[in-house]
Amino acid sequence: MATKLKDMLETDEILSSGHRMCAGCAAPVIVRLMGQALRGPTIVCEATGCLEVATTIYPYTAWKIPWIHVAFENASAVASGAFEAIEVMREKGRYKDEHVDVIAIGGDGGTFDIGFGSLSGALERGHDFVYMVYDNGAYQNTGIQRSGGTFPGQETTTSWAGSELPGKTQRKKPITEIVAAHKIPYAATVSPYYWRDFIKKFRKALEVDGPAFIHAISPCPRGWRSESSKSIELAKLAVETGMHPLYEIVDGEEYVMSTPSKRLKELKPIEEYMKPQGQFKHLFTDRWEDFREQIQEWVNEDWELLKKKCAEE
Ligand SMILES: Cc1ncc(C[n+]2csc(CCOP(=O)(O)OP(=O)(O)O)c2C)c(N)n1
Ligand code: SF4
């Protein structure tokens, strides 16, 4: 595991350049950080979505490690199968390597919604794999449709903003806590801005015995209508405003606030996260000011609750 910049430069990349993700997309950065945490032979099973489509345009692939394309809804089922197949081959003496890690990856659409049944089943069965969601807040690959991961107030092509509606009116699904409620050994939220925290958590996720879950915020300049150059700054603001606080949940019970969130004296106003994004533009009109205040209240409420769970003052 490399957690120093010098060592990171010397670690083999798992994703090559030349893929077709948009300029400034955080998803490839997230995959490269994941690559820094790997501990040996690894198989990735990936649900369809931007990352899958744009890194494997036939007949090319940007992936330098074994990688399986799976359907939208079953990344976790395929990862379970890959893990069990390796175990059986090892028992039969047909596989000698010490260990093979299995990672499933999905977008928020593929995780919060359509792949959730498959994910929940795999967690309940207890296969030893890591599931990572790169959460760009919508089904971006098919034209920015709202998902269970979309923030309230976010405008998408299925949660329009106008005089009648302020974008999505519902709250975001608390996916990390829902997953942790399966009493899995490890679940954590990460941001690509806090790269060292990211790599350490991903390595922990690989090392625990049983399923683990990593929830990465993944800025998307195309859908968020933000500057390509601002993605990593937005990944920082998401944490600083409490829109995506950083924490770990061990064994489904023990909450631990991570240092970047812990050292915040107070949250920045959500406006700082929203203003650079066209998808929240309508919230800065008189018509939707009240709804923006409502979102701030929800964020404050969630933050206070999280601090209590982490036993923070
Ligand atoms: C069963 C099924 N329904 C719909 C699709 C079409 N589809 C492909 S990618 C995608 C969006 C994926 O969204 P998400 O998981 O959030 O990842 P993102 O594209 O945002 O990276 C959809 C709807 C599909 N491939 N399979
Ligand atoms: S649409 Fe968004 S998530 Fe998809 S490649 Fe472009 S920036 Fe990345």
Side-chain angles (χ1 to χ4, degrees):
M1 176 177 66
T3 53
K4 287 190 181 139
L5 284 173
K6 185 178 146 296
D7 298 338
M8 286 169 79
L9 290 171
E10 285 162 11
T11 308
D12 287 340
E13 293 277 358
I14 60 166
L15 197 70
S16 70
S17 57
H19 54 69
R20 316 286 174 85
M21 307 294 284
C22 302
C25 178
V29 179
I30 284 168
V31 168
R32 291 172 65 199
L33 289 175
M34 176 187 106
Q36 296 290 338
L38 300 187
R39 55 179 179 169
T42 306
I43 297 173
V44 171
C45 308
E46 191 173 350
T48 189
C50 270
L51 181 65
E52 180 267 344
V53 168
T55 56
T56 58
I57 295 176
Y58 183 79
Y60 304 107
T61 177
W63 290 83
K64 296 183 174 184
I65 58 175
W67 181 95
I68 309 173
H69 158 67
V70 299
F72 201 11
E73 58 278 25
N74 66 349
S76 307
V78 175
S80 313
F83 173 76
E84 295 305 329
I86 292 163
E87 290 297 290
V88 170
M89 280 161 71
R90 196 191 313 284
E91 273 166 30
K92 291 186 173 171
R94 285 166 57 193
Y95 195 82
K96 303 274 187 273
D97 257 11
E98 212 170 82
H99 192 84
V100 178
D101 285 316
V102 179
I103 298 170
I105 302 180
D108 47 289
T111 307
F112 288 62
D113 303 337
I114 193 162
F116 185 74
S118 165
L119 170 61
S120 175
L123 301 177
E124 182 265 329
R125 292 189 300 274
H127 307 286
D128 190 0
F129 77 116
V130 178
Y131 190 101
M132 177 170 77
V133 52
Y134 67 100
D135 177 5
N136 52 31
Y139 294 69
Q140 301 294 356
N141 185 243
T142 39
I144 323 171
Q145 292 85 23
R146 113 201 234 298
S147 78
T150 303
F151 283 122
Q154 207 177 309
E155 183 177 41
T156 70
T157 54
T158 50
S159 60
W160 290 110
S163 55
E164 292 301 313
L165 287 170
K168 183 175 163 182
T169 51
Q170 300 85 2
R171 293 171 83 157
K172 184 174 174 128
K173 212 187 258 191
I175 192 71
T176 306
E177 299 195 84
I178 294 170
V179 162
H182 291 72
K183 303 278 186 212
I184 58 168
Y186 188 70
T189 58
V190 295
S191 156
Y193 176 82
Y194 298 100
W195 52 271
R196 192 172 280 133
D197 177 77
F198 185 125
I199 296 167
K200 284 184 180 166
K201 284 174 174 166
F202 206 100
R203 183 58 172 253
K204 252 193 218 178
L206 289 167
E207 283 173 353
V208 295
D209 194 13
F213 184 78
I214 297 287
H215 178 189
I217 186 89
S218 183
C220 159
R222 172 71 188 86
W224 294 17
R225 285 177 273 147
S226 53
E227 295 285 336
S228 298
S229 59
K230 296 278 181 215
S231 293
I232 299 303
E233 203 174 313
L234 284 171
K236 180 175 187 244
L237 281 166
V239 175
E240 291 175 332
T241 55
M243 299 290 282
H244 185 79
L246 299 185
Y247 59 96
E248 299 168 287
I249 309 175
V250 180
D251 296 329
E253 277 169 14
E254 189 195 335
Y255 279 66
V256 183
M257 190 76 87
S258 311
T259 308
S261 282
K262 203 170 170 175
R263 68 175 174 226
L264 294 173
K265 289 206 171 66
E266 55 183 32
L267 295 180
K268 287 186 174 172
I270 55 170
E271 282 82 352
E272 293 196 29
Y273 175 68
M274 292 177 166
K275 268 224 167 112
Q277 303 180 49
Q279 62 178 352
F280 291 115
K281 196 172 67 185
H282 54 284
L283 295 180
F284 296 91
T285 60
D286 291 346
R287 175 75 183 91
W288 297 120
E289 203 181 317
D290 286 355
F291 191 62
R292 200 180 77 226
E293 281 167 14
Q294 168 68 76
I295 302 170
Q296 182 69 72
E297 274 173 34
W298 283 338
V299 169
N300 294 347
E301 195 180 290
D302 290 345
W303 175 245
E304 291 306 319
L305 199 59
L306 179 65
K307 284 198 293 184
K308 270 193 200 141
K309 289 176 183 167
C310 297
E312 297 287 318
E313 283 306 308

